[in-house]
Amino acid sequence: MRRLIIFIAAMASFAMAYPQLTATEAFSSAPASVLPLIDYITRLDMIDYYNSGSATASKNVMQGQSRITALSPMSVSVSVTSGSECQIALLPMRGDTAIVCIETVMTPTPDSRVSVYDRDWKPLSGSSFAMPAVSAWLTPEGKKQADVVESQIPFMLASAQYSPETDTLVLTNRLSDFLSDDVYGLVKPYLLPSITYKWNSSRFVPVK
């Protein structure tokens, strides 16, 4: 009985130290360095509009329109401007919760940046994520032709989406939207259409 009481007390102390975090709380508390175009009050309005079923957009600091496009306890997707999107999702950790923020610029071609933070929006040590270089997108046959393929690709373009249900981050090849049909036709057989990463409670690791 004494051990049970100690265990319950420890769990209660843990819950007080690390209260449950929701995606809406992460979204509303994001610092200006993460969401510079949407202030705190506007974010709260956006949450209310979405929960009430309203399609009303909110004015951001540039007088453009921002709205939430999808919302769950674990993830929120936001149309920040007509040319940019953001997904904020929760990442399970041992003893706590982390946050992944995916910023996607839509023009001229969707291209994402992925950042990982702790619950206080500080970069999570040891969990930083860099979008993979062209070499990581090569198929086995593409690796044999690496010099030829990479000479046709000035830089890699890929969009990212995180799924809380599977703890996976999927990067989608977007070069077909940028390169001419002739050039992309040459390199397409040597490039992967997507790359998947799995969150392992501390960082994203590629799925083989």
Side-chain angles (χ1 to χ4, degrees):
M1 177 62 71
R2 182 171 178 273
R3 290 182 179 179
L4 178 60
I5 292 174
I6 293 174
F7 174 77
I8 293 174
M11 293 302 292
S13 177
F14 173 82
M16 292 178 64
Y18 299 105
Q20 182 64 41
L21 182 68
T22 66
T24 53
E25 290 170 342
F27 168 64
S28 61
S29 67
S33 58
V34 174
L35 284 174
L37 296 185
I38 310 175
D39 62 39
Y40 175 73
I41 298 300
T42 301
R43 296 179 207 175
L44 297 184
D45 289 341
M46 292 167 64
I47 294 170
D48 287 341
Y49 287 143
Y50 186 89
N51 287 334
S52 66
S54 172
T56 301
S58 299
K59 283 188 177 181
N60 56 48
V61 298
M62 298 298 291
Q63 300 303 305
Q65 294 189 331
S66 300
R67 59 166 53 85
I68 292 175
T69 57
L71 178 62
S72 73
M74 296 293 290
S75 177
V76 55
S77 296
V78 182
S79 173
V80 180
T81 70
S82 59
S84 63
E85 297 179 351
C86 178
Q87 181 190 15
I88 292 173
L90 305 184
L91 302 172
M93 292 184 66
R94 297 183 183 90
D96 202 356
T97 301
I99 303 168
V100 60
C101 179
I102 303 172
E103 301 167 87
T104 303
V105 177
M106 306 304 293
T107 54
T109 301
D111 189 41
S112 296
R113 181 177 68 176
V114 179
S115 304
V116 182
Y117 303 90
D118 65 15
R119 64 165 50 233
D120 296 317
W121 285 101
K122 298 176 182 178
L124 193 61
S125 178
S127 299
S128 61
F129 182 86
M131 296 293 281
V134 174
S135 58
W137 290 88
L138 297 177
T139 63
E141 186 62 29
K143 292 177 182 179
K144 299 176 184 178
Q145 307 288 334
D147 290 343
V148 175
V149 176
E150 294 186 36
S151 69
Q152 300 296 321
I153 302 174
F155 43 79
M156 192 64 206
L157 293 170
S159 60
Q161 183 75 26
Y162 177 72
S163 170
E165 293 76 20
T166 59
D167 294 330
T168 54
L169 176 71
V170 178
L171 309 185
T172 301
N173 180 348
R174 295 294 186 178
L175 283 175
S176 62
D177 300 328
F178 177 74
L179 299 175
S180 68
D181 291 342
D182 290 344
V183 173
Y184 189 69
L186 292 173
V187 300
K188 180 180 178 180
Y190 306 120
L191 295 172
L192 297 171
S194 64
I195 299 177
T196 300
Y197 291 80
K198 182 82 171 182
W199 176 253
N200 70 354
S201 296
S202 61
R203 62 190 181 91
F204 285 109
V205 294
V207 175
K208 303 298 184 180

